[in-house]
Amino acid sequence: RGARGASAHTAGFSVDVAPPRVRSLDATGAGDALTGALLAATLRAPATWDDPGSARAVLERACAYAALSTTRRGAIPSYPTADELAAFLG
């Protein structure tokens, strides 16, 4: 949903988050960045989706990763490193 954020829905709850504000240059690959971040988080901790607070935190981080990827041109080359994401989240 781009600038409108993202939503996650489970059998027990729904979570909506807004993305951080960035100066976007190119949205190519942002959806894939978001999906990749969500899949990585799910593989690390499948129980994330059992708790609304944990789900919100993962979705916020994935939105930040995707938003940060739009500050550069291109798809895969625009994806931030773990250190860049950590610095962005400060």
Side-chain angles (χ1 to χ4, degrees), residues 39-54:
L39 288 171
T42 300
L43 288 171
R44 280 192 304 272
T48 291
W49 303 108
D50 295 340
D51 170 67
S54 295

Side-chain angles (χ1 to χ4, degrees), residues 3-74:
R4 294 190 329 256
S7 300
H9 306 280
T10 72
F13 60 87
S14 294
V15 177
D16 296 301
V17 301
R21 299 195 76 141
V22 296
R23 184 174 172 200
S24 293
L25 296 176
D26 183 1
T28 303
D32 291 339
L34 177 92
T35 301
L38 290 174
L39 288 171
T42 300
L43 288 171
R44 280 192 304 272
T48 291
W49 303 108
D50 295 340
D51 170 67
S54 295
R56 176 175 300 283
V58 164
L59 197 56
E60 287 172 343
R61 184 177 178 86
C63 278
Y65 187 76
L68 188 55
S69 78
T70 71
T71 64
R72 303 176 195 160
R73 297 200 187 282

